[in-house]
Amino acid sequence: MIPAKFEYVRAASAGEAVSALAQAGEDAKILAGGQSLMPLLRLRLAYPDALIDVGRIEALREIRDEGGALLIGAMATHHQVVRDPLVRAHAPLIAAATATVADPAIRHRGTFGGALAHADPAGDLPAVALALDAVLLARSPRGEREIPAADFFVDWMTSALDPDELLTGVRVPKLGPGWGVHYEKFHRTAQAWAIVGVACAVRRERGAVEDARVALTNMGPVPVRATAVERFIEGRTVSSSSLRAAGERAAEGTSPPTDLHGSAEYRAHLATVLTARALTAAAAV
C-alpha cells in the first residue's frame, strides 16, 4: 500500500527539528530509524501531514559518561548501543536487551530513542528503561524537560511526549558493583515481538538480595514494574526456592492482553516462569 501524502522535512539539527514540529502542529511525525514508523505509513495506520527526518543529526547519536549516569542519544542505533563499551560496562541490561531486538538489519537502522518513543508495550526497551529508572530528555520550543520512565509510557503506543517535543536522549543511572542483570523473553519465532519479557537487575550482598528491579514487557498497555516481586525478594537469602517464589508473584497487578499469540492467562503463566528464570540468572544462582 502507498502511504498518504505528507510534507517531508530533513532537519539538520535538533533545534531545526523542534521548529519544524512546532510549525507542523499535532499532525507531524518524527522519522528516526523508521523501522516502526514506515510499516505504519505503508498500511495507513499513521498518516501525518508532515514527516520530520532527524536521521542525519549526528549530535543525537552520542553516548557519553556523565559521572553517575550515562546519556544515550536518542538517535543511537541498536547496533551502536549493543557494542558501546560504556553501555556494556555501566548499563549491561540495556546491552543485553537491545541485542535481542529483531535482527541485525533492524538493529543497524532502528534507534534507541525511536523504540522508546514508539511506546509499544511489546517492545523490549520500554521495560528496561522502567527497570533502570531511566529519565527521558525532551526538547520543545519551551525548552528542555526530563520525564522519568515511570511517567513516560501513558497508554498503548502513547508516550508523554507533547506533539511539539523531540526526544533527544535518555539518561540511565549507572549500576555499581554487586549488580547482576538479565533480560528474558519468550517469542514463538525469531525476530518476533516478545509475547512476554522480563527485565531484571539484582544486587546481592552477603548472600541476600539487597535490591531488585523487575519490569515486564507486554503484560499491559504499558511496561509494568513487578513491585510484588521486588518486595518479596528484597532482604531474602538468595536460593532457588526464594527466587521461584518471587517469580510466582510476577503477574500481580498486571493486565495482560489476549490476542492471536496467547491469552491473558497464558501470559500470566509465562510471566511467572520467565521472572523466576531472569532472577536466577541475574542473581547468578
PDB file of all heavy atoms in Angstrom, residues 40-75:
ATOM      1  N   LEU A  40       3.796   1.451   9.515  1.00  0.00           N
ATOM      2  CA  LEU A  40       2.539   2.129   9.836  1.00  0.00           C
ATOM      3  C   LEU A  40       2.115   3.061   8.712  1.00  0.00           C
ATOM      4  O   LEU A  40       0.920   3.165   8.387  1.00  0.00           O
ATOM      5  CB  LEU A  40       2.679   2.913  11.141  1.00  0.00           C
ATOM      6  CG  LEU A  40       2.932   2.101  12.412  1.00  0.00           C
ATOM      7  CD1 LEU A  40       3.048   3.033  13.614  1.00  0.00           C
ATOM      8  CD2 LEU A  40       1.838   1.078  12.642  1.00  0.00           C
ATOM      9  N   LEU A  41       3.092   3.733   8.107  1.00  0.00           N
ATOM     10  CA  LEU A  41       2.775   4.621   6.990  1.00  0.00           C
ATOM     11  C   LEU A  41       2.259   3.829   5.793  1.00  0.00           C
ATOM     12  O   LEU A  41       1.269   4.208   5.152  1.00  0.00           O
ATOM     13  CB  LEU A  41       4.011   5.422   6.586  1.00  0.00           C
ATOM     14  CG  LEU A  41       4.539   6.456   7.580  1.00  0.00           C
ATOM     15  CD1 LEU A  41       5.826   7.082   7.054  1.00  0.00           C
ATOM     16  CD2 LEU A  41       3.501   7.538   7.854  1.00  0.00           C
ATOM     17  N   ARG A  42       2.909   2.736   5.498  1.00  0.00           N
ATOM     18  CA  ARG A  42       2.512   1.940   4.324  1.00  0.00           C
ATOM     19  C   ARG A  42       1.120   1.346   4.495  1.00  0.00           C
ATOM     20  O   ARG A  42       0.372   1.209   3.521  1.00  0.00           O
ATOM     21  CB  ARG A  42       3.527   0.824   4.088  1.00  0.00           C
ATOM     22  CG  ARG A  42       4.895   1.312   3.627  1.00  0.00           C
ATOM     23  CD  ARG A  42       5.803   0.166   3.268  1.00  0.00           C
ATOM     24  NE  ARG A  42       5.276  -0.590   2.143  1.00  0.00           N
ATOM     25  CZ  ARG A  42       5.805  -1.736   1.706  1.00  0.00           C
ATOM     26  NH1 ARG A  42       6.861  -2.239   2.313  1.00  0.00           N
ATOM     27  NH2 ARG A  42       5.274  -2.363   0.677  1.00  0.00           N
ATOM     28  N   LEU A  43       0.766   0.971   5.728  1.00  0.00           N
ATOM     29  CA  LEU A  43      -0.549   0.407   5.997  1.00  0.00           C
ATOM     30  C   LEU A  43      -1.598   1.490   6.276  1.00  0.00           C
ATOM     31  O   LEU A  43      -2.761   1.182   6.522  1.00  0.00           O
ATOM     32  CB  LEU A  43      -0.476  -0.550   7.192  1.00  0.00           C
ATOM     33  CG  LEU A  43       0.345  -1.815   6.973  1.00  0.00           C
ATOM     34  CD1 LEU A  43       0.515  -2.571   8.291  1.00  0.00           C
ATOM     35  CD2 LEU A  43      -0.299  -2.708   5.924  1.00  0.00           C
ATOM     36  N   ARG A  44      -1.158   2.750   6.254  1.00  0.00           N
ATOM     37  CA  ARG A  44      -2.020   3.895   6.559  1.00  0.00           C
ATOM     38  C   ARG A  44      -2.648   3.791   7.955  1.00  0.00           C
ATOM     39  O   ARG A  44      -3.768   4.243   8.184  1.00  0.00           O
ATOM     40  CB  ARG A  44      -3.093   4.071   5.485  1.00  0.00           C
ATOM     41  CG  ARG A  44      -2.502   4.406   4.128  1.00  0.00           C
ATOM     42  CD  ARG A  44      -3.451   5.147   3.236  1.00  0.00           C
ATOM     43  NE  ARG A  44      -2.781   5.516   1.979  1.00  0.00           N
ATOM     44  CZ  ARG A  44      -3.321   6.331   1.076  1.00  0.00           C
ATOM     45  NH1 ARG A  44      -4.514   6.858   1.289  1.00  0.00           N
ATOM     46  NH2 ARG A  44      -2.669   6.625  -0.026  1.00  0.00           N
ATOM     47  N   LEU A  45      -1.883   3.185   8.855  1.00  0.00           N
ATOM     48  CA  LEU A  45      -2.263   3.236  10.265  1.00  0.00           C
ATOM     49  C   LEU A  45      -1.765   4.535  10.884  1.00  0.00           C
ATOM     50  O   LEU A  45      -2.171   4.906  11.981  1.00  0.00           O
ATOM     51  CB  LEU A  45      -1.677   2.031  11.004  1.00  0.00           C
ATOM     52  CG  LEU A  45      -2.209   0.667  10.554  1.00  0.00           C
ATOM     53  CD1 LEU A  45      -1.479  -0.458  11.273  1.00  0.00           C
ATOM     54  CD2 LEU A  45      -3.715   0.566  10.789  1.00  0.00           C
ATOM     55  N   ALA A  46      -0.860   5.197  10.198  1.00  0.00           N
ATOM     56  CA  ALA A  46      -0.418   6.552  10.550  1.00  0.00           C
ATOM     57  C   ALA A  46      -0.414   7.359   9.254  1.00  0.00           C
ATOM     58  O   ALA A  46       0.032   6.870   8.215  1.00  0.00           O
ATOM     59  CB  ALA A  46       0.977   6.533  11.162  1.00  0.00           C
ATOM     60  N   TYR A  47      -0.949   8.564   9.316  1.00  0.00           N
ATOM     61  CA  TYR A  47      -0.999   9.406   8.108  1.00  0.00           C
ATOM     62  C   TYR A  47      -0.755  10.858   8.498  1.00  0.00           C
ATOM     63  O   TYR A  47      -1.645  11.690   8.501  1.00  0.00           O
ATOM     64  CB  TYR A  47      -2.342   9.250   7.380  1.00  0.00           C
ATOM     65  CG  TYR A  47      -3.527   8.988   8.272  1.00  0.00           C
ATOM     66  CD1 TYR A  47      -4.271  10.039   8.803  1.00  0.00           C
ATOM     67  CD2 TYR A  47      -3.894   7.686   8.588  1.00  0.00           C
ATOM     68  CE1 TYR A  47      -5.357   9.799   9.635  1.00  0.00           C
ATOM     69  CE2 TYR A  47      -4.973   7.441   9.414  1.00  0.00           C
ATOM     70  CZ  TYR A  47      -5.702   8.505   9.928  1.00  0.00           C
ATOM     71  OH  TYR A  47      -6.766   8.254  10.764  1.00  0.00           O
ATOM     72  N   PRO A  48       0.520  11.158   8.831  1.00  0.00           N
ATOM     73  CA  PRO A  48       0.870  12.513   9.251  1.00  0.00           C
ATOM     74  C   PRO A  48       0.840  13.494   8.083  1.00  0.00           C
ATOM     75  O   PRO A  48       1.038  13.118   6.921  1.00  0.00           O
ATOM     76  CB  PRO A  48       2.289  12.349   9.787  1.00  0.00           C
ATOM     77  CG  PRO A  48       2.837  11.177   9.021  1.00  0.00           C
ATOM     78  CD  PRO A  48       1.681  10.256   8.839  1.00  0.00           C
ATOM     79  N   ASP A  49       0.594  14.750   8.419  1.00  0.00           N
ATOM     80  CA  ASP A  49       0.684  15.805   7.408  1.00  0.00           C
ATOM     81  C   ASP A  49       2.137  16.136   7.090  1.00  0.00           C
ATOM     82  O   ASP A  49       2.448  16.586   5.985  1.00  0.00           O
ATOM     83  CB  ASP A  49      -0.019  17.073   7.899  1.00  0.00           C
ATOM     84  CG  ASP A  49      -1.528  16.901   7.941  1.00  0.00           C
ATOM     85  OD1 ASP A  49      -2.041  15.997   7.258  1.00  0.00           O
ATOM     86  OD2 ASP A  49      -2.186  17.670   8.668  1.00  0.00           O
ATOM     87  N   ALA A  50       3.013  15.930   8.090  1.00  0.00           N
ATOM     88  CA  ALA A  50       4.426  16.244   7.904  1.00  0.00           C
ATOM     89  C   ALA A  50       5.282  15.169   8.555  1.00  0.00           C
ATOM     90  O   ALA A  50       4.933  14.618   9.602  1.00  0.00           O
ATOM     91  CB  ALA A  50       4.759  17.609   8.506  1.00  0.00           C
ATOM     92  N   LEU A  51       6.414  14.870   7.911  1.00  0.00           N
ATOM     93  CA  LEU A  51       7.374  13.905   8.420  1.00  0.00           C
ATOM     94  C   LEU A  51       8.692  14.640   8.622  1.00  0.00           C
ATOM     95  O   LEU A  51       9.268  15.180   7.663  1.00  0.00           O
ATOM     96  CB  LEU A  51       7.541  12.768   7.420  1.00  0.00           C
ATOM     97  CG  LEU A  51       8.052  11.431   7.937  1.00  0.00           C
ATOM     98  CD1 LEU A  51       7.112  10.875   8.990  1.00  0.00           C
ATOM     99  CD2 LEU A  51       8.202  10.443   6.791  1.00  0.00           C
ATOM    100  N   ILE A  52       9.165  14.680   9.881  1.00  0.00           N
ATOM    101  CA  ILE A  52      10.399  15.387  10.216  1.00  0.00           C
ATOM    102  C   ILE A  52      11.511  14.354  10.352  1.00  0.00           C
ATOM    103  O   ILE A  52      11.523  13.556  11.289  1.00  0.00           O
ATOM    104  CB  ILE A  52      10.274  16.192  11.522  1.00  0.00           C
ATOM    105  CG1 ILE A  52       8.942  16.942  11.585  1.00  0.00           C
ATOM    106  CG2 ILE A  52      11.462  17.114  11.692  1.00  0.00           C
ATOM    107  CD1 ILE A  52       8.729  17.942  10.486  1.00  0.00           C
ATOM    108  N   ASP A  53      12.430  14.337   9.406  1.00  0.00           N
ATOM    109  CA  ASP A  53      13.518  13.356   9.368  1.00  0.00           C
ATOM    110  C   ASP A  53      14.701  13.871  10.194  1.00  0.00           C
ATOM    111  O   ASP A  53      15.293  14.894   9.866  1.00  0.00           O
ATOM    112  CB  ASP A  53      13.929  13.130   7.919  1.00  0.00           C
ATOM    113  CG  ASP A  53      14.959  12.012   7.755  1.00  0.00           C
ATOM    114  OD1 ASP A  53      15.515  11.557   8.772  1.00  0.00           O
ATOM    115  OD2 ASP A  53      15.202  11.610   6.604  1.00  0.00           O
ATOM    116  N   VAL A  54      15.016  13.124  11.286  1.00  0.00           N
ATOM    117  CA  VAL A  54      16.143  13.520  12.146  1.00  0.00           C
ATOM    118  C   VAL A  54      17.322  12.559  11.976  1.00  0.00           C
ATOM    119  O   VAL A  54      18.256  12.564  12.777  1.00  0.00           O
ATOM    120  CB  VAL A  54      15.712  13.583  13.631  1.00  0.00           C
ATOM    121  CG1 VAL A  54      14.642  14.640  13.830  1.00  0.00           C
ATOM    122  CG2 VAL A  54      15.208  12.216  14.111  1.00  0.00           C
ATOM    123  N   GLY A  55      17.287  11.755  10.929  1.00  0.00           N
ATOM    124  CA  GLY A  55      18.267  10.693  10.750  1.00  0.00           C
ATOM    125  C   GLY A  55      19.697  11.148  10.551  1.00  0.00           C
ATOM    126  O   GLY A  55      20.622  10.353  10.728  1.00  0.00           O
ATOM    127  N   ARG A  56      19.904  12.415  10.177  1.00  0.00           N
ATOM    128  CA  ARG A  56      21.264  12.884   9.924  1.00  0.00           C
ATOM    129  C   ARG A  56      21.778  13.839  11.002  1.00  0.00           C
ATOM    130  O   ARG A  56      22.763  14.548  10.792  1.00  0.00           O
ATOM    131  CB  ARG A  56      21.328  13.556   8.552  1.00  0.00           C
ATOM    132  CG  ARG A  56      21.001  12.579   7.423  1.00  0.00           C
ATOM    133  CD  ARG A  56      21.404  13.094   6.075  1.00  0.00           C
ATOM    134  NE  ARG A  56      21.113  12.127   5.029  1.00  0.00           N
ATOM    135  CZ  ARG A  56      21.457  12.271   3.758  1.00  0.00           C
ATOM    136  NH1 ARG A  56      22.110  13.362   3.373  1.00  0.00           N
ATOM    137  NH2 ARG A  56      21.156  11.348   2.862  1.00  0.00           N
ATOM    138  N   ILE A  57      21.129  13.848  12.149  1.00  0.00           N
ATOM    139  CA  ILE A  57      21.587  14.705  13.249  1.00  0.00           C
ATOM    140  C   ILE A  57      22.571  13.897  14.092  1.00  0.00           C
ATOM    141  O   ILE A  57      22.186  13.163  15.016  1.00  0.00           O
ATOM    142  CB  ILE A  57      20.404  15.209  14.100  1.00  0.00           C
ATOM    143  CG1 ILE A  57      19.361  15.913  13.214  1.00  0.00           C
ATOM    144  CG2 ILE A  57      20.901  16.157  15.184  1.00  0.00           C
ATOM    145  CD1 ILE A  57      18.139  16.393  13.954  1.00  0.00           C
ATOM    146  N   GLU A  58      23.839  14.008  13.772  1.00  0.00           N
ATOM    147  CA  GLU A  58      24.856  13.186  14.421  1.00  0.00           C
ATOM    148  C   GLU A  58      24.974  13.477  15.914  1.00  0.00           C
ATOM    149  O   GLU A  58      25.353  12.604  16.701  1.00  0.00           O
ATOM    150  CB  GLU A  58      26.215  13.392  13.735  1.00  0.00           C
ATOM    151  CG  GLU A  58      26.288  12.795  12.346  1.00  0.00           C
ATOM    152  CD  GLU A  58      26.075  11.294  12.354  1.00  0.00           C
ATOM    153  OE1 GLU A  58      26.581  10.619  13.283  1.00  0.00           O
ATOM    154  OE2 GLU A  58      25.397  10.788  11.442  1.00  0.00           O
ATOM    155  N   ALA A  59      24.667  14.704  16.325  1.00  0.00           N
ATOM    156  CA  ALA A  59      24.781  15.049  17.745  1.00  0.00           C
ATOM    157  C   ALA A  59      23.858  14.214  18.610  1.00  0.00           C
ATOM    158  O   ALA A  59      24.125  14.031  19.810  1.00  0.00           O
ATOM    159  CB  ALA A  59      24.479  16.537  17.937  1.00  0.00           C
ATOM    160  N   LEU A  60      22.780  13.686  18.036  1.00  0.00           N
ATOM    161  CA  LEU A  60      21.829  12.873  18.793  1.00  0.00           C
ATOM    162  C   LEU A  60      22.242  11.409  18.871  1.00  0.00           C
ATOM    163  O   LEU A  60      21.518  10.598  19.452  1.00  0.00           O
ATOM    164  CB  LEU A  60      20.425  12.987  18.187  1.00  0.00           C
ATOM    165  CG  LEU A  60      19.787  14.378  18.214  1.00  0.00           C
ATOM    166  CD1 LEU A  60      18.373  14.316  17.647  1.00  0.00           C
ATOM    167  CD2 LEU A  60      19.779  14.949  19.629  1.00  0.00           C
ATOM    168  N   ARG A  61      23.382  11.052  18.287  1.00  0.00           N
ATOM    169  CA  ARG A  61      23.858   9.667  18.326  1.00  0.00           C
ATOM    170  C   ARG A  61      24.887   9.440  19.439  1.00  0.00           C
ATOM    171  O   ARG A  61      25.310   8.310  19.676  1.00  0.00           O
ATOM    172  CB  ARG A  61      24.485   9.273  16.986  1.00  0.00           C
ATOM    173  CG  ARG A  61      23.527   9.318  15.814  1.00  0.00           C
ATOM    174  CD  ARG A  61      24.172   8.745  14.561  1.00  0.00           C
ATOM    175  NE  ARG A  61      23.319   8.929  13.407  1.00  0.00           N
ATOM    176  CZ  ARG A  61      22.312   8.103  13.072  1.00  0.00           C
ATOM    177  NH1 ARG A  61      22.072   7.048  13.827  1.00  0.00           N
ATOM    178  NH2 ARG A  61      21.577   8.333  12.013  1.00  0.00           N
ATOM    179  N   GLU A  62      25.284  10.493  20.114  1.00  0.00           N
ATOM    180  CA  GLU A  62      26.370  10.404  21.091  1.00  0.00           C
ATOM    181  C   GLU A  62      25.961   9.599  22.320  1.00  0.00           C
ATOM    182  O   GLU A  62      24.834   9.684  22.810  1.00  0.00           O
ATOM    183  CB  GLU A  62      26.793  11.802  21.532  1.00  0.00           C
ATOM    184  CG  GLU A  62      27.970  11.823  22.489  1.00  0.00           C
ATOM    185  CD  GLU A  62      28.329  13.221  22.945  1.00  0.00           C
ATOM    186  OE1 GLU A  62      27.567  14.165  22.641  1.00  0.00           O
ATOM    187  OE2 GLU A  62      29.362  13.366  23.619  1.00  0.00           O
ATOM    188  N   ILE A  63      26.893   8.801  22.820  1.00  0.00           N
ATOM    189  CA  ILE A  63      26.746   8.115  24.106  1.00  0.00           C
ATOM    190  C   ILE A  63      27.900   8.587  24.978  1.00  0.00           C
ATOM    191  O   ILE A  63      29.072   8.437  24.608  1.00  0.00           O
ATOM    192  CB  ILE A  63      26.802   6.585  23.938  1.00  0.00           C
ATOM    193  CG1 ILE A  63      25.656   6.103  23.041  1.00  0.00           C
ATOM    194  CG2 ILE A  63      26.732   5.895  25.302  1.00  0.00           C
ATOM    195  CD1 ILE A  63      25.701   4.624  22.721  1.00  0.00           C
ATOM    196  N   ARG A  64      27.576   9.176  26.120  1.00  0.00           N
ATOM    197  CA  ARG A  64      28.656   9.744  26.934  1.00  0.00           C
ATOM    198  C   ARG A  64      28.445   9.472  28.417  1.00  0.00           C
ATOM    199  O   ARG A  64      27.337   9.245  28.890  1.00  0.00           O
ATOM    200  CB  ARG A  64      28.801  11.244  26.693  1.00  0.00           C
ATOM    201  CG  ARG A  64      27.652  12.099  27.154  1.00  0.00           C
ATOM    202  CD  ARG A  64      27.995  13.585  26.996  1.00  0.00           C
ATOM    203  NE  ARG A  64      26.954  14.457  27.520  1.00  0.00           N
ATOM    204  CZ  ARG A  64      26.015  15.019  26.791  1.00  0.00           C
ATOM    205  NH1 ARG A  64      25.966  14.806  25.477  1.00  0.00           N
ATOM    206  NH2 ARG A  64      25.117  15.816  27.347  1.00  0.00           N
ATOM    207  N   ASP A  65      29.559   9.535  29.130  1.00  0.00           N
ATOM    208  CA  ASP A  65      29.590   9.322  30.577  1.00  0.00           C
ATOM    209  C   ASP A  65      29.326  10.656  31.269  1.00  0.00           C
ATOM    210  O   ASP A  65      30.004  11.654  30.993  1.00  0.00           O
ATOM    211  CB  ASP A  65      30.963   8.779  30.974  1.00  0.00           C
ATOM    212  CG  ASP A  65      31.003   8.250  32.397  1.00  0.00           C
ATOM    213  OD1 ASP A  65      30.323   8.827  33.274  1.00  0.00           O
ATOM    214  OD2 ASP A  65      31.723   7.270  32.640  1.00  0.00           O
ATOM    215  N   GLU A  66      28.328  10.679  32.174  1.00  0.00           N
ATOM    216  CA  GLU A  66      28.031  11.900  32.928  1.00  0.00           C
ATOM    217  C   GLU A  66      28.300  11.724  34.425  1.00  0.00           C
ATOM    218  O   GLU A  66      27.696  12.376  35.257  1.00  0.00           O
ATOM    219  CB  GLU A  66      26.570  12.299  32.713  1.00  0.00           C
ATOM    220  CG  GLU A  66      26.266  12.751  31.301  1.00  0.00           C
ATOM    221  CD  GLU A  66      24.910  13.419  31.170  1.00  0.00           C
ATOM    222  OE1 GLU A  66      23.993  13.080  31.961  1.00  0.00           O
ATOM    223  OE2 GLU A  66      24.757  14.286  30.289  1.00  0.00           O
ATOM    224  N   GLY A  67      29.212  10.843  34.736  1.00  0.00           N
ATOM    225  CA  GLY A  67      29.540  10.623  36.140  1.00  0.00           C
ATOM    226  C   GLY A  67      28.712   9.495  36.722  1.00  0.00           C
ATOM    227  O   GLY A  67      29.071   8.324  36.629  1.00  0.00           O
ATOM    228  N   GLY A  68      27.591   9.847  37.322  1.00  0.00           N
ATOM    229  CA  GLY A  68      26.738   8.818  37.917  1.00  0.00           C
ATOM    230  C   GLY A  68      25.757   8.206  36.943  1.00  0.00           C
ATOM    231  O   GLY A  68      24.984   7.324  37.318  1.00  0.00           O
ATOM    232  N   ALA A  69      25.772   8.655  35.704  1.00  0.00           N
ATOM    233  CA  ALA A  69      24.813   8.164  34.717  1.00  0.00           C
ATOM    234  C   ALA A  69      25.428   8.175  33.328  1.00  0.00           C
ATOM    235  O   ALA A  69      26.450   8.831  33.084  1.00  0.00           O
ATOM    236  CB  ALA A  69      23.547   9.016  34.731  1.00  0.00           C
ATOM    237  N   LEU A  70      24.801   7.440  32.426  1.00  0.00           N
ATOM    238  CA  LEU A  70      25.131   7.510  31.008  1.00  0.00           C
ATOM    239  C   LEU A  70      24.046   8.292  30.296  1.00  0.00           C
ATOM    240  O   LEU A  70      22.866   8.179  30.634  1.00  0.00           O
ATOM    241  CB  LEU A  70      25.199   6.109  30.392  1.00  0.00           C
ATOM    242  CG  LEU A  70      26.269   5.147  30.876  1.00  0.00           C
ATOM    243  CD1 LEU A  70      26.197   3.860  30.051  1.00  0.00           C
ATOM    244  CD2 LEU A  70      27.650   5.762  30.796  1.00  0.00           C
ATOM    245  N   LEU A  71      24.456   9.058  29.304  1.00  0.00           N
ATOM    246  CA  LEU A  71      23.495   9.713  28.427  1.00  0.00           C
ATOM    247  C   LEU A  71      23.580   9.035  27.067  1.00  0.00           C
ATOM    248  O   LEU A  71      24.634   9.050  26.419  1.00  0.00           O
ATOM    249  CB  LEU A  71      23.774  11.203  28.279  1.00  0.00           C
ATOM    250  CG  LEU A  71      22.786  11.945  27.381  1.00  0.00           C
ATOM    251  CD1 LEU A  71      21.384  11.936  27.992  1.00  0.00           C
ATOM    252  CD2 LEU A  71      23.222  13.374  27.128  1.00  0.00           C
ATOM    253  N   ILE A  72      22.480   8.424  26.668  1.00  0.00           N
ATOM    254  CA  ILE A  72      22.415   7.733  25.383  1.00  0.00           C
ATOM    255  C   ILE A  72      21.572   8.589  24.446  1.00  0.00           C
ATOM    256  O   ILE A  72      20.389   8.837  24.708  1.00  0.00           O
ATOM    257  CB  ILE A  72      21.789   6.335  25.524  1.00  0.00           C
ATOM    258  CG1 ILE A  72      22.589   5.503  26.526  1.00  0.00           C
ATOM    259  CG2 ILE A  72      21.730   5.638  24.163  1.00  0.00           C
ATOM    260  CD1 ILE A  72      21.987   4.126  26.797  1.00  0.00           C
ATOM    261  N   GLY A  73      22.185   9.063  23.366  1.00  0.00           N
ATOM    262  CA  GLY A  73      21.464   9.889  22.415  1.00  0.00           C
ATOM    263  C   GLY A  73      20.313   9.130  21.788  1.00  0.00           C
ATOM    264  O   GLY A  73      20.404   7.925  21.525  1.00  0.00           O
ATOM    265  N   ALA A  74      19.225   9.826  21.545  1.00  0.00           N
ATOM    266  CA  ALA A  74      18.026   9.176  21.016  1.00  0.00           C
ATOM    267  C   ALA A  74      18.260   8.539  19.660  1.00  0.00           C
ATOM    268  O   ALA A  74      17.606   7.553  19.306  1.00  0.00           O
ATOM    269  CB  ALA A  74      16.883  10.193  20.923  1.00  0.00           C
ATOM    270  N   MET A  75      19.202   9.063  18.865  1.00  0.00           N
ATOM    271  CA  MET A  75      19.456   8.537  17.532  1.00  0.00           C
ATOM    272  C   MET A  75      20.536   7.462  17.502  1.00  0.00           C
ATOM    273  O   MET A  75      20.904   6.980  16.430  1.00  0.00           O
ATOM    274  CB  MET A  75      19.834   9.676  16.584  1.00  0.00           C
ATOM    275  CG  MET A  75      18.649  10.498  16.111  1.00  0.00           C
ATOM    276  SD  MET A  75      17.440   9.500  15.211  1.00  0.00           S
ATOM    277  CE  MET A  75      18.455   8.898  13.875  1.00  0.00           C
TER     278      MET A  75
END
